[in-house]
Amino acid sequence: MTMTPEMHRQEPQAPRVVVVGNEKGGSGKSTVAMHLLIGFLRAGFTVGSIDLDARQGTLTTYVTNRESYARRFELSLPMPIHQSIHLTGQEAGDRNRLDDAVGGLLAECDLVLIDTPGADNHLSRAGHTHADILVTPLNDSFIDLDVLAKVDPETMRILRPSHYSEMVWDIKKQRGQRDGRSIHWVVLRNRLSQLDARNKRDMEGLLRDLSRRIGFQLIEGLCERVIYREMYLKGLTLLDLREKGTDITLSMSHIAARQELRRLLDALGVPQAAPDSAEAALPSAATG
């Protein structure tokens, strides 16, 4: 799906739901979710967000930090309409609350983004069923690859899809039977090493093979950088660093990170403003 400002103004399309999901924790899901949220907001969309990992509440805390930072520095930062849903153990009730939340937000927003827990539970699966686009951040390591596929350690060949891949496959079939709509699955290689190591090349080969076998789009995500931890405490994203009044001084590492984010947003079809001269002149990601 490629979204354009014209789609936003004329609204000929139904609202869409983007789900950020991976059963394994520590993959950078909430960082990716927040950057997508602000990317959509700065592209002119009205955006709702739902945190299904309310117990840990990383995305909710990120949004709260953003609201506090904007008040403290008197900034007009774009904000999503945010909700969180707690897992109660009552499956039917949890699903109904999620359905109501998604329906309510779609009634007033162009797009809804759902951040799911890093665990398999009925609320996470229910969140996945709403996806028009499913974004799965995956750390660039063989430990994390296990969530998608089992790999023969001797031959480095894929033996079979793993539990999460099978769950997504089942949900895609259920979605088609329910309303005839498809789920576009994107696997995002996240927290990439900035070195061209053998592990990185092997991971790319295996993921490209797997993408052909089970049907997902493979794109590169964000490198591991200290700036993401700093921005989380302030509720900021890379897209906010040109905002007048913030207390972060841009460095070459920040500009390189913004370049990575642009590639990610481009791959997902998010319209963006043209890069500034410093970013456009940067040939490759800087370290830091």
Side-chain angles (χ1 to χ4, degrees), residues 1-262:
M1 177 185 69
T2 300
M3 290 179 261
T4 67
E6 287 74 18
M7 284 173 59
H8 171 64
R9 289 194 295 268
Q10 300 171 7
E11 290 196 300
Q13 301 286 332
R16 304 301 248 175
V17 178
V18 176
V19 173
V20 182
N22 183 339
E23 289 179 5
K24 187 173 180 60
S27 62
K29 279 193 305 89
S30 296
T31 298
V32 169
M34 190 65 171
H35 278 77
L36 291 179
L37 277 178
I38 305 308
F40 287 122
L41 285 165
R42 289 196 176 276
F45 295 91
T46 56
V47 183
S49 55
I50 300 174
D51 187 353
L52 295 186
D53 195 6
R55 182 173 181 179
Q56 182 163 340
T58 306
L59 182 62
T60 299
T61 302
Y62 209 147
V63 173
T64 301
N65 290 346
R66 185 177 183 82
E67 293 169 344
S68 299
Y69 187 90
R71 286 194 300 270
R72 187 164 72 251
F73 287 89
E74 299 182 343
L75 298 174
S76 180
L77 297 175
M79 300 281 184
I81 303 171
H82 186 72
Q83 298 184 30
S84 61
I85 297 178
H86 292 262
L87 180 71
T88 68
Q90 300 296 321
E91 183 169 349
D94 289 345
R95 285 179 177 272
N96 288 337
R97 288 187 297 119
L98 173 59
D99 291 345
D100 289 345
V102 172
L105 288 172
L106 286 177
E108 54 182 320
C109 298
D110 299 313
L111 181 140
V112 173
L113 185 142
I114 302 174
D115 189 23
T116 63
D120 180 20
N121 59 49
H122 64 259
L123 193 53
S124 177
R125 291 192 297 272
H128 280 69
T129 65
H130 285 279
D132 293 304
I133 298 177
L134 170 60
V135 179
T136 300
L138 187 77
N139 286 340
D140 218 41
S141 76
F142 291 109
I143 295 174
D144 288 66
L145 179 62
D146 190 63
V147 79
L148 293 184
K150 299 297 182 182
V151 177
D152 186 320
E154 295 185 4
T155 65
M156 295 302 292
R157 292 181 179 274
I158 293 170
L159 299 175
R160 65 184 183 277
S162 196
H163 52 283
Y164 184 74
S165 296
E166 291 172 349
M167 186 269 285
V168 172
W169 181 254
D170 288 340
I171 285 174
K172 290 172 75 172
K173 289 192 295 183
Q174 294 170 23
R175 181 64 182 275
Q177 292 168 356
R178 187 181 73 207
D179 58 19
R181 298 179 71 171
S182 61
I183 298 175
H184 178 52
W185 188 14
V186 177
V187 172
L188 188 156
R189 295 175 66 204
N190 209 30
R191 293 180 168 172
L192 292 164
S193 166
Q194 296 173 62
L195 301 176
D196 186 24
R198 177 179 177 180
N199 178 80
K200 185 176 178 180
R201 295 193 300 272
D202 288 345
M203 276 288 294
E204 180 174 3
L206 285 168
L207 284 170
R208 291 202 178 282
D209 181 24
L210 189 61
S211 71
R212 290 188 291 268
R213 291 176 59 174
I214 63 177
F216 58 75
Q217 178 187 1
L218 180 63
I219 61 177
E220 288 193 2
L222 308 174
C223 288
E224 181 67 48
R225 295 179 187 275
V226 175
I227 184 62
Y228 294 116
R229 292 188 285 277
E230 179 183 356
M231 290 190 301
Y232 170 76
L233 296 174
K234 301 172 186 291
L236 298 177
T237 70
L238 293 167
L239 297 169
D240 301 310
L241 297 188
R242 289 293 184 187
E243 192 84 27
K244 292 182 179 179
T246 65
D247 61 345
I248 296 180
T249 301
L250 273 177
S251 68
M252 288 302 291
S253 174
H254 301 162
I255 294 171
R258 281 165 58 93
Q259 190 181 59
E260 294 165 5
L261 179 60
R262 282 186 176 279

